[in-house]
Amino acid sequence: MTVAMIPREISAFMMSRDFTSIIFSESSLTVTPSDKVTLRVNGVVTYRVTDIRQALGVADAFRQALYREAQHALRAMIGTRELDPFLADKESVVRELEQLVRPRAAQLGLEVVSFGIRDVILPGEMKDLMNKVTEAKKGAEANLIVRREETAAI
């Protein structure tokens, strides 16, 4: 649907309407970082329509077009990273995603207000492995403390 196909009354209403931010979620996007661990990621993009004519002229479903852009950018960004660095610094990934998505959103007549990664869901086996690694690290730290105390007591 283009702007020309919209009746004048609706078009005038849409042009004068104050569009507020709308939030939508990536529905558990499955991605694979460079170390081949499958993750499910939920992301959020908050945006507002800045140019309704452009938004309707470029894409019939500008919301879906923005969703696809965000999804592709998220897959590309996570696919180049290993799991541990990604989990440790999600904020840098979000900043890079915003830089990728904002220009495309502008071409759609939209302004990205914010971009975020809400949830990173690991498969069950990976959760178990990460718990074991954390447990081993904490055990090693506890042993080190005990040894220091024993050495100090001598």
Side-chain angles (χ1 to χ4, degrees), residues 111-142:
E111 175 192 1
V112 173
V113 176
S114 66
F115 199 108
I117 295 175
R118 284 197 316 189
D119 299 311
V120 177
I121 303 159
L122 300 169
E125 325 70 70
M126 183 54 66
K127 284 182 199 175
D128 294 340
L129 286 173
M130 291 185 82
N131 286 336
K132 287 178 183 177
V133 168
T134 302
E135 187 178 322
K137 284 181 182 178
K138 294 298 180 188
E141 288 174 13

Side-chain angles (χ1 to χ4, degrees), residues 28-104:
S28 293
L29 174 66
T30 302
V31 294
T32 306
S34 63
D35 50 3
K36 308 298 183 229
V37 177
T38 302
L39 306 173
R40 286 192 358 235
V41 178
N42 292 325
V44 178
V45 177
T46 306
Y47 68 96
R48 76 173 50 97
V49 177
T50 56
D51 185 344
I52 191 66
R53 286 186 187 269
Q54 187 176 1
L56 293 175
V58 172
D60 291 344
F62 57 84
R63 181 180 175 138
Q64 190 64 26
L66 179 61
Y67 175 88
R68 280 191 307 274
E69 290 297 327
Q71 187 179 48
H72 292 307
L74 192 57
R75 283 181 193 271
M77 293 299 302
I78 294 174
T80 61
R81 289 175 163 69
E82 290 186 356
L83 179 62
D84 288 338
F86 165 66
L87 293 175
D89 194 16
K90 289 186 285 190
E91 289 306 313
S92 70
V93 173
V94 168
R95 285 190 298 275
E96 291 179 47
L97 285 170
E98 282 184 303
Q99 290 174 354
L100 287 173
V101 174
R102 279 183 197 274
R104 181 61 183 134

